[in-house]
Amino acid sequence: MCVTPPSPPPPRASVLVRPGRGETEGKQPVCHGGSALAAAGGEPRGGWVTNQFLRQLGIYPSWQFVDVYGSDPELLGLVPRPVCALMLLFPVTEKYETFRMKEEETIKAQGQEVKPGVYFMKQTISNACGTIGLIHAIANNRDKIDFEKDSSLKKFLDESVPMNPEQRAKYLETYEAIRVTHESSAHEGQTEAPSIDEKVDLHFIALVNVDGILYELDGRKPFPINHGRSNVDTFLEDAVGVCKKFMERDPDELRFNAIALAAA
C-alpha cells in the first residue's frame, strides 16, 4: 500500500544532525527517514516536511515540529516550550541491535511499569518508521492537539484506541486516507527515495511523557520502554538525555537527528 516519497535534502551540520556513512541491515523493519510511509519524518527542513504532513492529516498548527540543534542548554533554549514529544532518527548498527536484544531480555525478566494510557503500535510495514513515530507522538498527546473536524488522523486514532498494538499496525496497512496523504506528500520532495523493500539502516522512534513517565516508543520493539520520571518542564532535557545514550552506545556514528513537537 506504500508509496515512496522523495528523499530528504542532506542533513545540516549540528550536534544531532551529522552526515553518515555505511549501512547495516537490521533484523526487523528498518526505515529511511524519507521513504514509504515516512513522508512525515525525513531529515527536516526546519520541520517543514513534517509540519506539512501534519497539516494534510487535519491538524491545526498550534503544535509544530522544530529542529533540536544540540544538547547544550544554550541550544535547547532555542526550542519553544512546552515540548510534548521528540522524534529521534538514528542508525541501526550491530552495537544497537545487540543492546536492543539485551534490553528486551532484561525487561521481560524484570518487568517495567507501562501506564494503561500509553498508545503504542507495532511496525509491520518496511520503511514506515517516520509515520509510526509521528502517530506515536500525536496519539499520546491527543488532549493537546487541535484536530480539524474531518481529520483523517483523528479518525484513525479514535478507531484504533481500543485495539492492541498488532491490530493498530494491521489497521494502518489498510487505512486509505493516510496512504493518499502520503502520495500527496511525495510530490513535495525532489529526489527518488528507497523502495519499501530496500535495506536501509536509519530508524525513527518517538519519546513522549505519559502520566509523568518518559516512554520510548519504537514499533520494532515488543513494548514501550520506560525511561523514568519526567514532567512538562523537564521533558525536553529528559528526552535529549535518552538521545545522548543512543549516541554514547555508538560513539563512532554520526547519523543522529532530533525534532521536537513544540507549542507554536
Side-chain angles (χ1 to χ4, degrees):
M1 63 162 282
C2 300
V3 295
T4 53
S7 303
R12 294 188 294 274
S14 77
V15 174
L16 294 177
V17 184
R18 295 174 251 179
R21 60 188 183 277
E23 291 192 350
T24 302
E25 179 180 344
K27 297 180 175 60
Q28 296 187 29
V30 183
C31 309
H32 185 282
S35 61
L37 283 179
E43 305 284 2
R45 289 169 282 181
W48 186 85
V49 174
T50 312
N51 293 326
Q52 282 291 104
F53 186 67
L54 287 178
R55 189 71 182 89
Q56 292 170 352
L57 289 174
I59 295 179
Y60 288 114
S62 54
W63 292 81
Q64 297 197 31
F65 279 98
V66 299
D67 290 311
V68 178
Y69 289 105
S71 59
D72 294 336
E74 296 81 4
L75 295 174
L76 294 181
L78 300 175
V79 179
R81 306 295 178 106
V83 170
C84 68
L86 186 141
M87 290 177 61
L88 172 68
L89 182 69
F90 67 96
V92 176
T93 64
E94 291 183 5
K95 288 182 180 178
Y96 172 74
E97 289 292 78
T98 299
F99 167 80
R100 180 177 64 81
M101 289 184 285
K102 290 182 179 179
E103 176 188 58
E104 180 178 332
E105 292 174 0
T106 299
I107 292 176
K108 286 181 176 178
Q110 300 179 358
Q112 65 170 351
E113 178 186 14
V114 177
K115 300 283 188 177
V118 176
Y119 182 105
F120 175 69
M121 67 184 297
K122 295 285 291 178
Q123 179 183 336
T124 56
I125 306 170
S126 297
N127 290 341
C129 60
T131 294
I132 301 297
L134 185 147
I135 291 174
H136 279 145
I138 299 299
N140 287 285
N141 290 285
R142 297 190 303 279
D143 59 328
K144 306 177 185 68
I145 303 298
D146 295 322
F147 294 95
E148 295 179 0
K149 183 178 179 180
D150 58 349
S151 167
S152 58
L153 181 55
K154 183 178 188 302
K155 185 174 184 291
F156 173 84
L157 295 178
D158 289 344
E159 294 174 349
S160 62
V161 163
M163 301 177 184
N164 64 36
E166 291 76 17
Q167 291 169 334
R168 291 166 182 164
K170 292 297 182 182
Y171 188 41
L172 180 63
E173 291 179 13
T174 61
Y175 199 75
E176 183 73 8
I178 291 181
R179 184 190 66 81
V180 170
T181 303
H182 281 108
E183 289 179 351
S184 175
S185 297
H187 299 297
E188 301 288 348
Q190 70 273 25
T191 57
E192 185 178 358
S195 74
I196 62 173
D197 297 318
E198 185 172 338
K199 298 299 186 294
V200 288
D201 70 335
L202 298 179
H203 187 63
F204 263 115
I205 61 169
L207 297 165
V208 299
N209 170 24
V210 178
D211 296 333
I213 301 292
L214 173 58
Y215 292 100
E216 171 192 334
L217 304 176
D218 180 350
R220 296 179 69 230
K221 295 185 176 182
F223 36 66
I225 306 298
N226 182 328
H227 283 286
R229 303 293 302 179
S230 187
N231 61 62
V232 66
D233 296 322
T234 65
F235 171 74
L236 178 60
E237 286 76 12
D238 297 337
V240 168
V242 174
C243 296
K244 290 170 70 175
K245 292 179 181 178
F246 276 74
M247 299 171 73
E248 290 166 0
R249 283 192 290 267
D250 264 305
D252 297 326
E253 268 293 349
L254 303 173
R255 296 169 294 172
F256 296 91
N257 178 18
I259 53 176
L261 184 58

